[in-house]
Amino acid sequence: MAGAQIAWTVELGYGTPFLLGLGLSEQLTSLVWLAGPISGLVAQPVIGAVSDSSTSKYRRRFWIILSTVALVISTFTLAYCQSLAAFFVDLFDIGAGDWDEERNKRVASTAIGFAVVSFYVLDFALNGLQASLRNLLLDITPANQLNAGNAWHGRMTNAGNIIGFGFGFLPLAKLPIIRLLGGDQFRKFCVICIIILVITVWMTCFFHEEQERPTQHEKKSTFTDVLGNIYTAIVNLPKPIRRVCYVQLFAFMGWFPFLFYSTTYMGQVMAYELQREPDHDIATRTGEFALLLYSIVGVIAGTILPHLATRDRRLMAHRGDINEDAEVTRLRNTVHEWRVEAARQGKPLRLPVMPFLLRNVWTGALLFFSLLMFSTLFIATVFQATIFISLVGICWAVAMWVPFSIIMELLKEGSNPTPEANRRPNHTRNLSTSDLTRLANDERQPLLRRRSYNESDYEIPSQAVIPQVPLAGGTVLGIHNLAIVMPQFIPIKSSIQVALVTSAIFRIVDKTSSGFDIGDENTYLGHNGVAWVLRFGGVCTLCGALIARMVPPTPTEKAMRRRLGEMKLLEEEGMA
């Protein structure tokens, strides 16, 4: 995941300057940036559905390797697009030589063609890689470790940003081996990203083992069947996961304005502070520095905040909990032992503490994001704007961790019900899936799980028989990604992707269709539209925070809370 994010920085941090440097117009550059939302809309759900239907033990790693190969080819083509264009033009004897103006024009247009195609392949490959990595994480991670696994996912995402943007600041041309590659900084950076990506993907594929699924004697799925499965999954999406998707839809209506316009906002604040038009390069570098701090804060927050939701092992199910009576007996014996030990030490009995619910952490982060967006009403200096952008890294750390943890836990917990659950769907106890049995000779063998259902939580009819088939985890994660990218599919204007409401805000406040008009005499001075766009994003995330309150606790959290309640009752019984 870190290697994939470093590859993302090739496009996010250096894509637009590279395309403009090749001679592509700003209007056409906006069409290139359409590759991001289109690939997110298509690649992740399709790859998730196709890999879900596979029974191979390489169903996820196949797409990881295939996406990586496409990434390497597209990134290499980007790095050497001008040299490749010159080679093919000369191969077909177009023009008399490198002094021929007609030949040079053809080389330039061919280089642009290579770059545009490569960017689209890069976007689709990156979305396929990230989707497959998340699907692999869902498959191999025990339910009680999904929270920690997704926390590491968020940390690696921000760490990849730091490494990627950090390489952009290094003088790569002066490094002993890298300088032999020739070309500019962008070429050297692309080659470094390829090397890091290949190493990290090799580590992931070599050190993980997937389990082969039983072969179903059915006809081979066609592409139409895959699309039908995606549609069926969307229509029948469980209510808790559907609510998570609604939250993401509103949350990223707030996130995209910040991600697209934070650098521009820094330039406008700088112009307001100086009361004159600042140097464009200085304003851009200042914004990039603030984003680097934002990534660093994200890594720190992604390391600290997950401890608030760490699952206490004392509240988790044990392998001896073969039924409810066995679990209650174990809890009674455990509380008795704690009481005896506390009495021996002359201390009061202290029961475990329930960690923060994931939905509460998520709600808090969304509210904090809205508060930061509204704080732009009072920001007047570059220093204040830098602090503002940096603090948003806290919210981003939660956004890269909590929603994925919630969805994966819901998928994991509901994927393998047992016959006992089918016979007793009405029971009030809701035991979470836990690590019950692991084969001794292989740590990577699948865990045997059990759970019972609570009818009020999952709305299961009293006479329903739950089919014992795994949920389409990759498909559901792909649908979740649809909710993330959908805010980008509102009409686009100017050289940057902006929603219809955003464009209207710019027209009202700045009398332009975008917040960044390079052709204007004053690019930043006198413009304040970006600040209002950010505030609009804050309103959207407020709506997301309200919906987040309706996201139920995960089955593991419900079971932990129930066991803690049992312990408190047993403590009161002992005191009585």
Side-chain angles (χ1 to χ4, degrees):
M1 289 175 173
Q5 191 64 27
I6 293 172
W8 263 120
T9 60
V10 171
E11 180 178 8
L12 295 177
Y14 311 99
T16 297
F18 175 74
L19 292 173
L20 294 176
L22 290 178
L24 196 66
S25 66
E26 294 175 26
Q27 290 73 23
L28 293 178
T29 301
S30 66
L31 298 179
V32 177
W33 283 111
L34 273 174
I38 291 176
S39 58
L41 184 70
V42 176
Q44 296 210 22
V46 171
I47 290 178
V50 172
S51 59
D52 279 339
S53 62
S54 172
T55 59
S56 169
K57 64 178 180 179
Y58 302 103
R59 58 185 173 276
R60 310 298 191 191
R61 287 176 291 173
F62 169 79
W63 290 102
I64 291 175
I65 295 174
L66 184 63
S67 299
T68 302
V69 171
L71 266 173
V72 170
I73 294 175
S74 60
T75 307
F76 182 85
T77 303
L78 277 176
Y80 290 92
C81 65
Q82 292 171 307
S83 300
L84 290 172
F87 171 79
F88 283 105
V89 168
D90 292 339
L91 181 66
F92 291 100
D93 292 329
I94 300 176
D98 55 7
W99 62 86
D100 190 341
E101 185 176 349
E102 180 64 26
R103 179 259 184 194
N104 292 335
K105 289 182 179 178
R106 189 62 63 87
V107 169
S109 60
T110 305
I112 290 175
F114 277 134
V116 171
V117 173
S118 296
F119 264 108
Y120 269 82
V121 175
L122 180 73
D123 262 309
F124 274 86
L126 277 170
N127 271 282
L129 177 59
Q130 290 190 327
S132 301
L133 288 170
R134 290 193 184 107
N135 296 338
L136 181 64
L137 176 66
L138 172 64
D139 289 348
I140 67 176
T141 309
N144 65 336
Q145 293 183 0
L146 281 171
N147 182 54
N150 281 284
W152 274 104
H153 163 214
R155 292 167 196 160
M156 291 297 100
T157 298
N158 286 295
N161 282 332
I162 294 174
I163 296 172
F165 290 124
F167 271 120
F169 286 105
L170 292 178
L172 300 179
K174 297 181 180 179
L175 297 181
I177 299 177
I178 299 298
R179 65 184 180 185
L180 300 177
L181 297 171
D184 55 7
Q185 179 94 347
F186 180 77
R187 175 183 294 181
K188 297 177 176 62
F189 178 61
C190 286
V191 173
I192 292 175
C193 286
I194 290 175
I195 295 173
I196 295 176
L197 178 66
V198 170
I199 293 174
T200 55
V201 167
W202 174 84
M203 291 171 60
T204 298
C205 293
F206 181 79
F207 288 105
H208 290 93
E209 181 179 337
E210 302 173 74
Q211 297 300 318
E212 188 173 355
R213 293 175 178 172
T215 303
Q216 302 290 334
H217 298 287
E218 299 176 357
K219 67 175 184 177
K220 191 173 183 179
S221 298
T222 63
F223 186 70
T224 304
D225 296 330
V226 171
L227 295 181
N229 292 338
I230 295 174
Y231 174 77
T232 302
I234 293 175
V235 173
N236 300 315
L237 204 62
K239 185 178 292 185
I241 297 178
R242 190 182 299 274
R243 288 173 179 171
V244 173
C245 292
Y246 289 153
V247 177
Q248 290 289 67
L249 182 65
F250 283 98
F252 275 84
M253 287 178 68
W255 273 112
F256 283 125
F258 173 80
L259 297 174
F260 291 151
Y261 293 112
S262 53
T263 303
T264 307
Y265 174 72
M266 180 63 76
Q268 292 183 358
V269 172
M270 185 178 293
Y272 179 83
E273 182 179 10
L274 298 175
Q275 289 300 305
R276 59 179 173 82
E277 183 70 13
D279 179 83
H280 182 266
D281 290 337
I282 294 177
T284 301
R285 286 198 300 270
T286 304
E288 290 177 350
F289 175 73
L291 288 175
L292 180 62
L293 294 179
Y294 149 88
S295 298
I296 294 173
V297 170
V299 170
I300 296 174
T303 303
I304 296 175
L305 291 179
H307 290 291
L308 299 177
T310 298
R311 307 302 163 80
D312 194 324
R313 291 182 178 273
R314 295 174 295 177
L315 296 177
M316 302 300 291
H318 285 211
R319 63 180 61 189
D321 298 338
I322 57 177
N323 54 43
E324 296 168 15
D325 293 334
E327 183 188 58
V328 173
T329 300
R330 177 183 62 83
L331 293 176
R332 179 178 289 106
N333 294 335
T334 301
V335 172
H336 177 71
E337 292 174 2
W338 291 345
R339 186 184 296 110
V340 171
E341 182 64 24
R344 182 182 298 114
Q345 298 178 2
K347 298 179 180 179
L349 173 62
R350 295 185 180 276
L351 296 178
V353 178
M354 184 69 189
F356 280 87
L357 298 180
L358 290 174
R359 70 174 181 186
N360 293 343
V361 177
W362 197 12
T363 303
L366 290 171
L367 293 175
F368 185 49
F369 181 88
S370 297
L371 179 64
L372 289 173
M373 296 303 110
F374 297 145
S375 71
T376 56
L377 289 166
F378 311 102
I379 293 176
T381 66
V382 171
F383 177 76
Q384 293 172 346
T386 302
I387 297 298
F388 154 70
I389 293 176
S390 301
L391 290 177
V392 177
I394 298 175
C395 308
W396 184 248
V398 175
M400 291 293 100
W401 152 47
V402 171
F404 295 99
S405 292
I406 293 176
I407 286 185
M408 288 187 185
E409 284 197 34
L410 290 170
L411 288 172
K412 200 81 169 185
E413 298 281 1
S415 61
N416 294 313
T418 61
E420 287 78 9
N422 295 336
R423 290 195 299 266
R424 296 168 54 188
N426 285 328
H427 206 283
T428 56
R429 290 186 181 270
N430 177 19
L431 299 179
S432 72
T433 300
S434 64
D435 307 348
L436 299 182
T437 305
R438 182 183 292 274
L439 298 184
N441 296 328
D442 189 352
E443 289 186 346
R444 293 175 290 191
Q445 291 294 325
L447 300 175
L448 302 180
R449 294 179 170 82
R450 68 168 179 84
R451 67 158 305 187
S452 62
Y453 282 80
N454 183 321
E455 181 181 0
S456 62
D457 293 336
Y458 290 90
E459 301 182 357
I460 300 174
S462 59
Q463 300 301 321
V465 176
I466 305 169
Q468 297 191 37
V469 295
L471 295 175
T475 306
V476 173
L477 288 175
I479 295 170
H480 169 247
N481 191 70
L482 293 183
I484 293 176
V485 302
M486 281 305 295
Q488 298 180 78
F489 280 96
I490 309 175
I492 294 175
K493 289 183 177 285
S494 81
S495 61
I496 302 177
Q497 300 175 26
V498 291
L500 183 62
V501 175
T502 302
S503 181
I505 292 174
F506 283 133
R507 288 188 180 278
I508 294 172
V509 178
D510 292 338
K511 310 302 181 184
T512 65
S513 61
S514 76
F516 191 37
D517 292 339
I518 296 179
D520 191 4
E521 181 180 354
N522 290 326
T523 302
Y524 301 113
L525 186 62
H527 294 272
N528 193 37
V530 171
W532 283 102
V533 169
L534 295 178
R535 292 161 200 160
F536 166 74
V539 174
C540 293
T541 51
L542 272 181
C543 298
L546 292 175
I547 302 175
R549 301 307 305 150
M550 295 186 288
V551 175
T554 66
T556 300
E557 291 172 335
K558 292 178 182 178
M560 291 174 63
R561 191 161 54 183
R562 178 184 53 74
R563 293 189 188 99
L564 182 58
E566 296 269 13
M567 289 181 179
K568 291 180 178 179
L569 289 175
L570 292 172
E571 179 189 17
E572 293 175 359
E573 291 177 5
M575 294 176 63

